[in-house]
Amino acid sequence: MRRSGFLMTEPDIASSDGSNIQLRMERKGDHYLLNGSKWWSSGAGDDRCKIFIVMGKTDPNNPDRFRQQSMMLVPAGTPGITVHRMLSVYGYDDAPHGHGHVTFENVKVPLDALILGEGRGNEIMQGRLGPGRIHHCMRAIGAAEVALEWMIHRMWDDRKIPFGKPLREHGVLIDWVARARMEIDASRLVVLNAAIKIDQKDAKFALKEIAEVSYFPILVRRVMLMDCAGQGHGPNNVSYHHRPRRPGPRCRWCVPGHTSC
Ligand SMILES: Cc1cc2nc3c(=O)[nH]c(=O)nc-3n(C[C@H](O)[C@H](O)[C@H](O)COP(=O)(O)OP(=O)(O)OC[C@H]3O[C@@H](n4cnc5c(N)ncnc54)[C@H](O)[C@@H]3O)c2cc1C
């Protein structure tokens, strides 16, 4: 199965503001020339990743800074593209998926590689990221659910008897489980509400509901990394040899600093 990578984030600018994107897409007769640098390009490390969706600037002098960018479909093997390395997430390279650091040096791309039209890059990005948020929230909720499951499993481990009683009889752990259950359920309902609104019309119609779901992965991150998968597992919390640490890195939205989607 073929896959694609979405290349927006750049090393030298604040990429959470799409209007900052610098990769140059210069029209030269019957083609564009692409020059610039991208990183955190998820999927770039995978052999099946055959096409890059690249965001860049076709019109850097446009007074409307949200009309300067465009998006193009660029085959991953086009001459001038170099995938330098995979960036690690909490020490993992996430192979074969991989988050690549990719450069473009005089990459020649035909005019029909342009998606939708020149200057419409930000528009495409916003259209994609709204529903994308829902998708990431669903994954975050799934990961939190697994973390809670592990926590309950640990609490029922009769070899773990601190201060004369099993973990499941310690009030603070019961409190964590109760809160986690409520936060996960609340998150799921908010995500469902946003999804229903998108289905009723489109992402723009669901702007407020999509903004609401953005808040919940933070709660879910606390469930996963701190209380349940984290604190409840003692030192396994800080060890990459143990499962509880994994849901965080596996789930993009749970990585501090991931803001664009
Ligand atoms: C695992 C992983 C996978 C990724 N995959 C991809 C991918 O496939 N394609 C891609 O293009 N990018 C990807 N990214 C990159 C990610 O989307 C960017 O890191 C993000 O857009 C932030 O851009 P930046 O790193 O330039 O940070 P900056 O824009 O410099 O922002 C730095 C920090 O400032 C804060 N901040 C920024 N804006 C605001 C605001 N409006 N309000 C409050 N705080 C704010 C946030 O904490 C943010 O993390 C990935 C990142 C990770 C961690």
Side-chain angles (χ1 to χ4, degrees):
M1 192 188 18
R2 288 185 180 188
R3 293 192 169 192
S4 61
F6 180 67
L7 279 58
M8 179 176 142
T9 305
E10 299 181 3
D12 302 322
I13 48 121
S15 307
S16 48
D17 176 353
S19 71
N20 286 336
I21 297 304
Q22 292 297 315
L23 183 136
R24 188 73 173 98
M25 297 170 151
E26 208 175 344
R27 190 167 173 167
K28 298 267 185 193
D30 66 348
H31 63 271
Y32 290 98
L33 265 192
L34 273 50
N35 281 286
S37 188
K38 296 285 178 186
W39 71 356
W40 291 105
S41 309
S42 296
D46 195 320
D47 278 345
R48 292 166 297 177
C49 182
K50 300 295 184 202
I51 195 124
F52 292 146
I53 304 161
V54 185
M55 172 115 156
K57 258 188 187 162
T58 40
D59 185 9
N61 299 318
N62 193 316
D64 180 349
R65 64 193 183 99
F66 293 105
R67 300 286 297 178
Q68 296 173 349
Q69 290 81 10
S70 300
M71 257 188 220
M72 292 183 190
L73 293 174
V74 185
T78 310
I81 296 180
T82 310
V83 180
H84 293 274
R85 57 178 172 148
M86 293 306 133
L87 302 166
S88 64
V89 180
Y90 291 126
Y92 290 90
D93 61 8
D94 282 350
H97 189 59
H99 313 286
H101 182 189
V102 186
T103 55
F104 289 70
E105 203 180 339
N106 293 323
V107 176
K108 208 172 157 183
V109 173
L111 297 183
D112 65 3
L114 187 70
I115 311 173
L116 209 58
E118 278 197 15
R120 303 188 69 176
N122 270 299
E123 187 186 331
I124 300 169
M125 181 194 69
Q126 286 303 336
R128 177 202 170 274
L129 292 183
R133 281 192 182 105
I134 303 269
H135 166 81
H136 287 307
C137 284
M138 288 172 177
R139 290 170 50 157
I141 290 167
E145 197 73 70
V146 171
L148 179 57
E149 207 175 282
W150 289 343
M151 175 67 172
I152 293 168
H153 191 258
R154 171 93 176 193
M155 287 166 73
W156 282 88
D157 184 344
D158 286 329
R159 297 167 304 168
K160 306 285 181 185
I161 313 282
F163 305 101
K165 53 184 180 182
L167 287 172
R168 62 182 171 276
E169 287 177 22
H170 285 273
V172 69
L173 275 85
I174 297 168
D175 181 63
W176 288 344
V177 168
R179 281 173 191 273
R181 182 71 275 149
M182 290 187 286
E183 286 175 2
I184 293 170
D185 288 348
S187 304
R188 184 173 278 125
L189 289 173
V190 172
V191 171
L192 274 175
N193 185 44
I196 289 168
K197 265 287 175 66
I198 294 174
D199 277 351
Q200 281 172 350
K201 211 165 175 189
D202 55 26
K204 206 168 182 178
F205 178 66
L207 216 58
K208 181 176 74 67
E209 287 74 14
I210 290 172
E212 283 172 7
V213 306
S214 309
Y215 171 71
F216 278 89
I218 300 165
L219 285 181
V220 172
R221 184 162 78 213
R222 191 182 69 68
V223 170
M224 284 170 34
L225 295 184
M226 293 170 70
D227 292 352
C228 288
Q231 187 68 11
H233 279 81
N236 295 0
N237 172 32
V238 292
S239 168
Y240 288 106
H241 298 292
H242 295 275
R243 299 191 299 181
R245 205 71 179 100
R246 274 310 269 166
R250 296 286 319 156
C251 186
R252 293 169 43 161
W253 251 52
C254 300
V255 179
H258 191 283
T259 51
S260 74
C261 302

